[in-house]
Structure formats: C-alpha cells, structure tokens
C-alpha cells in the first residue's frame, strides 16, 4: 500500500514548541501511568467481574502485545501520514479506549478495550520523540528529550501511588474503574493542546507500508503467548503445542518476507541489515529477557500484598512505589555517565536485579511488616534503571545511523514482547501453585515459586553480560 510521506516541520518560533511539548509529555505520562497502574487493580477487577486467572493475565498481556505489534508499522506510518495527525488519532483512540475500559461490564469487554488501548498507544508513542525532533531548535532538543525521559519515569512511579489511592478512595463508588476514567479529562486536554500548538507537516512523496509484515509479526507474538496464558486453564491439550510451533513458523515467514522485500528494493518493517546482524539480534534477545524477568514478579507481588496479606490498594501502592522511584533515580544518575563502561553498568545492573529478586524470596512472608519489601525493591529498581539505559546503548551501538528509527522501534517492540512473556510465564507458575482455595501462606509459597524464573534469568544475564564486559576490556587493551 502506498501512502503520502511528509516533509519535516521547521522548528517553531518563540516558546510555542515548549507549550506543545508540555501536552506531548502529558500524553506520554498517562500512557506510562496506565502501564503500571493496572497492576494494583487486578484483585478488585477479579472480585468485581468474576474473572478467571487467565482472563486477568490477558488484561495485562493484550495491552503489551498490541503495543508491541503496532510500534513498528505505526512508526513508519508517522513518517508517511504526518506525525502530528497520527499522534492525535492515537491519543483520541487511547482516550476513548480508556473510557471503554472504565465502563466495561464484563471481563471480556475489558480485555477487548485493553487491546484497543494498546493499539492506540502504539499509534501515539512512536510519534512523540519524532515530533520533538522536528519541532525544537538544535540547542534545545537534548533538554526536551531529557524531560521526556523524566516524565515517563514519573508516570511509572505515579502508577502504584495514584492507582492505590483511586481504588481505596472509591470515588463516586466507581472503585477500580476510576484508574481508566481519569484518562478522559487528561486526554482531552492533551488533544486540545497539541492541536493548538503543534503544526502538521506537508505531504511530499509516496512510501510503501508493509502490512503483511505487521500481521505476521503480530500473529507470531500471539501464537507464542496464547499457550502460556491459557495452558493451565485448558488442561494443556495437545493442540496448544501446535499453536506454539505456529509462532516459530510465522516468525520464519516474517523473516523471509523481509528478505523478499529487500531484494525488490522495497521498504521493510524491520530492515534486512538488522535481521542479518547477529550482534544486534543477540542484544535484542538480552533486552527481551531482561524485561521478561521484571514484569511478572511486580504483577504477582501486587496480588500477594492485597489478596494474600490483606493490604489496601493504597498501602500496596506505597509498598510498590520503591521500585519505580529507584528506576527513575538510577536512570537519571547513569545517563550522566554517557557512553562509558556500558557493558560493566549493564552487568552490575543485572547483579542488582538478582540480589533484589533473591531478597524478595527470602524476606517476604505472611507476618513480616510490609516495609520489608522496600529494600529488595530498591535493588530491583536500581538494577533495572542502570541496566536498561546501558542495554539500550549496547543495542543501538549495533544499529547504523540510517536504520536508527527502525532499530529503536524494534527495541521497544521486543521490550514489550519480553514484558508480555514474563507476565505469562510467571503468572502461570504463580496461579498453578496458588490453587483454587488459597490462604495467606499459599500466596507466599506461590510468589516464592514464581520468583525462581526471574532469579534464573538475572543469574544468566549477569554471567552473559559480565562475559561481554570482559571481552570488551580485552579488546580495549593495547
């Protein structure tokens, strides 16, 4: 399909670009807020909508899946249709989908609304940095991008606190529904601000969009995760193995499809130069594993604190806030190091994540004060904040400048795949051990069993990236 491509806009005069950026930041904030806020609401959603364990997993996983699947094609759509137009469409869709989540009468309706929300977010988020790049003068771009990173980190930190407060306060007797409905006034304000202060771009030429590649990538992702989420509930029928194998066939088809497009000289969803770059693919794999290790434990910990240990959503939110706060502080501190000691910082971050996960396994039980989880969560957050920044650098160091946009999109897409994979695997272990008639002690047992997976992941990553650091040191010697 060929569509019009756009010419970059000129930097805006005066301070108008900062006004527009403020509303871009607002949209990025509510996207990140929604990513972390839902964890606190899962017990309330389960009670209110009589949701099964697998349905609860889909509430989280479907968002990450559709977000991941949409990042690659919508990044290219932004270049072709105009980033401002696509951002506004994505933000409008995100706001409407949030309202649909907030009024969902059944768990099935909530899952479908979350799917729409993730797709709208994938339309919106790739445009933010691109709009900042085209709207800001050169001497202000670094400051704007730095603020973007800080605002998204604040959104992650605010999620547990805001979610816990809204659910506990039970405003207008809406309970968990307020975590979605609060997006309506914020989304409308951001829509109005971006429409008023950021101009559009002009069509210039046509460009082909790889629809087939987008559907193959999405299909492979769903086929990979579906057996992991539904396997226990369905009793592990043999046809699930067929679905699992189908994911690899679809990914192979995606690979060959990209090769065919490259031979014809047509744009690919993921450039062949990256698909054939073994160092890029191996480091993307490490990033996927890193995020697979972090997502599931935070989700099940929110369940344990509330359903197992009897904390209110507000109390659980305060306990969990140590994690994103530490991520934000570590990200700010390590970003100042620049490009120095990248593999060492990644390796130390993995060790910190390993210590934090082991600390959670050892310290949490049904008669220990909740603030005991703060210390291991500080290790987890500090490790993720430092390792993530370094891992992004390790990946993007392997990407040619000409493919920077595609490489960044692939990095974010596989990050989301890792999140969905981690939630599916850790939740499967957790709910299997928990059983149908859980006690507080059973919740603790299930959490400890589920934590073996991230412990194994971060132990392996500590060794692998430590070896990478040693190899880089060897090359650096005269």
């Amino acid at each position: 399909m060929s569509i019009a491509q756009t010419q970059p806009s000129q930097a805006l005069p005066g301070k108008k670009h900062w006004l527009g950026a403020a509303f871009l930041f607002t949209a990025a904030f509510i996207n990140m807020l929604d990513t972390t806020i839902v964890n606190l609401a899962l017990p309330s959603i389960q009670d209110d909508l009589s949701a099964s364990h697998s349905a609860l997993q889909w509430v989280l996983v479907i968002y990450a899946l559709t977000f991941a699947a949409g990042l690659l094609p919508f990044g290219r759509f932004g270049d072709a249709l105009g980033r401002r137009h696509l951002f506004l469409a994505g933000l409008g869709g995100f706001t409407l989908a949030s309202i649909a989540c907030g009024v969902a009468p059944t768990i099935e309706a909530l899952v479908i609304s979350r799917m729409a929300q993730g797709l709208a977010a994938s339309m919106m988020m790739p445009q933010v940095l691109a709009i900042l790049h085209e709207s800001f003068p050169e001497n202000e771009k670094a400051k704007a991008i730095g603020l973007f990173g800080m605002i998204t980190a604040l959104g992650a930190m605010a999620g547990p606190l805001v979610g816990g407060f809204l659910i506990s306060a039970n405003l207008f007797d809406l309970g968990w529904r307020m975590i979605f409905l609060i997006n309506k006034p914020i989304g409308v304000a951001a829509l109005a601000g971006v429409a008023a202060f950021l101009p559009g771009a002009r069509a210039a030429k046509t460009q082909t969009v790889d629809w087939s590649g987008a559907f193959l990538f999405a299909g492979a992702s769903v086929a990979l995760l579906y057996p992991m989420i539904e396997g226990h509930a369905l009793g592990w029928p043999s046809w699930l193995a067929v679905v699992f194998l189908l994911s690899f066939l679809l990914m192979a088809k995606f690979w060959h499809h990209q090769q065919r497009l490259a031979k014809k000289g047509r744009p690919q969803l993921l450039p062949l130069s990256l698909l054939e770059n073994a160092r890029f693919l191996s480091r993307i794999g490490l990033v996927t594993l890193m995020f697979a290790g972090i997502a599931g434990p935070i989700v099940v910990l929110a369940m344990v604190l509330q359903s197992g240990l009897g904390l209110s959503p507000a109390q659980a939110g305060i306990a969990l806030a140590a994690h994103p706060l530490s991520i934000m502080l570590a990200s700010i501190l390590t970003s100042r190091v620049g490009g120095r000691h990248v593999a060492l910082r990644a390796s130390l971050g993995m060790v910190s994540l390993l210590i934090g996960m082991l600390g959670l396994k050892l310290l949490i039980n049904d008669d220990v004060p909740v603030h005991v989880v703060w210390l291991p969560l500080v290790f987890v957050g500090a490790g993720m904040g430092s390792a993530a920044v370094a891992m992004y650098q390790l990946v993007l160091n392997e990407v040619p400048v000409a493919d920077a946009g595609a490489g960044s999109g692939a990095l974010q897409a596989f990050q989301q795949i890792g999140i969905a994979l981690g939630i599916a695997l850790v939740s499967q272990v957790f709910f299997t051990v928990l059983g149908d008639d859980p006690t507080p002690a059973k919740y603790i047992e299930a959490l400890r069993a589920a934590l073996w997976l991230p412990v194994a992941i971060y132990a392996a990553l500590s060794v692998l990236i430590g070896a990478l650091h040693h190899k880089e040191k060897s090359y650096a010697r005269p």
Side-chain angles (χ1 to χ4, degrees), residues 72 270-288 391-400 403-412 414:
L72 292 176
L270 191 58
L272 193 62
S273 60
L274 296 181
L275 281 174
E276 294 180 343
N277 184 334
R279 285 168 62 91
F280 172 78
L281 292 178
S282 64
R283 295 180 184 197
I284 279 282
L286 295 177
V287 169
T288 305
M391 287 303 300
Y392 292 162
Q393 290 174 304
L394 282 174
V395 171
L396 295 177
N397 284 346
E398 301 301 321
V399 179
D403 292 328
S408 178
L411 175 60
Q412 293 180 72
F414 280 94

Side-chain angles (χ1 to χ4, degrees), residues 224-281:
L224 175 68
L225 291 166
Y226 183 83
M228 299 179 189
I229 295 172
E230 294 290 347
H232 177 68
L234 296 174
W236 298 103
S238 57
W239 59 265
L240 280 184
V242 177
V243 175
F244 186 72
L245 290 174
L246 179 63
S247 69
F248 295 96
L249 293 175
L250 288 173
M251 190 54 70
K253 178 68 174 176
F254 171 79
W255 189 305
H256 291 306
H257 177 66
Q258 301 305 296
Q259 288 180 317
R260 188 166 61 251
L261 291 179
K263 289 178 181 177
K264 294 179 179 180
R266 293 166 58 187
Q268 306 107 60
L269 196 65
L270 191 58
L272 193 62
S273 60
L274 296 181
L275 281 174
E276 294 180 343
N277 184 334
R279 285 168 62 91
F280 172 78
L281 292 178

Side-chain angles (χ1 to χ4, degrees), residues 43-394:
S44 300
I45 292 171
Q46 185 173 34
D47 291 342
D48 187 31
L49 300 181
S50 301
S52 67
H53 295 329
S54 60
L56 282 184
Q57 292 176 66
W58 279 116
V59 170
L60 298 172
V61 168
I62 199 67
Y63 183 92
L65 265 180
T66 50
F67 191 31
L71 280 169
L72 292 176
F74 282 126
R76 190 171 292 279
F77 279 161
D79 295 336
L81 292 173
R83 299 180 183 108
R84 174 181 173 273
H85 299 311
L86 206 60
F87 174 85
L88 290 173
L91 179 55
F94 186 88
T95 304
L96 290 173
S98 297
I99 296 170
C101 289
V103 301
T106 64
I107 189 64
E108 292 81 9
L110 179 58
V111 170
I112 292 171
S113 300
R114 284 282 287 171
M115 180 173 65
Q117 200 181 32
L119 194 62
S122 72
M123 186 184 301
M124 171 177 70
M125 290 308 298
Q127 320 310 325
V128 175
L129 286 175
I131 292 174
L132 293 177
H133 178 71
E134 70 180 9
S135 300
F136 274 74
E138 289 296 329
N139 62 332
E140 293 184 334
K141 281 182 184 178
K143 182 179 179 181
I145 293 172
L147 278 172
F148 168 76
M150 186 177 296
I151 293 296
T152 53
L154 283 172
M157 184 183 71
L161 296 173
V162 174
F165 168 76
L166 288 175
I167 299 166
S168 293
N170 195 22
L171 299 175
F172 310 110
D173 201 30
L174 289 170
W176 62 268
R177 298 178 184 276
M178 275 301 295
I179 69 170
F180 296 111
L181 296 176
I182 196 174
N183 289 340
K184 177 183 175 181
I186 302 174
V188 169
L191 274 170
V194 171
F197 295 108
L198 287 176
R202 300 182 304 275
K205 59 181 181 179
T206 60
Q207 176 174 301
T208 300
V209 174
D210 181 15
W211 280 101
S212 297
F215 284 115
L216 286 169
F217 184 82
S221 302
V222 173
L224 175 68
L225 291 166
Y226 183 83
M228 299 179 189
I229 295 172
E230 294 290 347
H232 177 68
L234 296 174
W236 298 103
S238 57
W239 59 265
L240 280 184
V242 177
V243 175
F244 186 72
L245 290 174
L246 179 63
S247 69
F248 295 96
L249 293 175
L250 288 173
M251 190 54 70
K253 178 68 174 176
F254 171 79
W255 189 305
H256 291 306
H257 177 66
Q258 301 305 296
Q259 288 180 317
R260 188 166 61 251
L261 291 179
K263 289 178 181 177
K264 294 179 179 180
R266 293 166 58 187
Q268 306 107 60
L269 196 65
L270 191 58
L272 193 62
S273 60
L274 296 181
L275 281 174
E276 294 180 343
N277 184 334
R279 285 168 62 91
F280 172 78
L281 292 178
S282 64
R283 295 180 184 197
I284 279 282
L286 295 177
V287 169
T288 305
L289 277 177
M290 179 178 71
F291 279 95
I294 193 66
I298 299 302
V299 170
V300 298
L301 182 58
M303 297 281 291
V304 170
L305 292 175
Q306 295 175 80
S307 300
L309 303 184
L311 271 64
S312 70
Q315 291 171 321
I318 292 171
L320 293 173
H323 167 245
L325 177 61
S326 301
I327 288 179
M328 183 180 70
L329 293 176
S331 298
I332 292 171
L333 291 174
T334 57
S335 63
R336 295 179 178 178
V337 181
R340 301 191 301 274
H341 313 299
V342 180
L344 175 62
R345 285 156 40 208
S347 180
L348 292 175
M350 297 304 175
V351 171
S352 182
L353 281 159
L354 176 60
I355 292 170
M357 292 298 176
L358 285 171
L360 278 176
K361 277 183 64 68
L362 294 172
L363 294 178
I364 191 167
N365 61 59
D366 54 1
D367 61 357
V368 168
V370 69
H371 65 261
V372 167
V373 305
W374 292 349
L375 180 60
L377 285 179
V378 165
F379 274 95
V380 170
M384 178 54 67
S386 57
V389 172
M391 287 303 300
Y392 292 162
Q393 290 174 304
L394 282 174

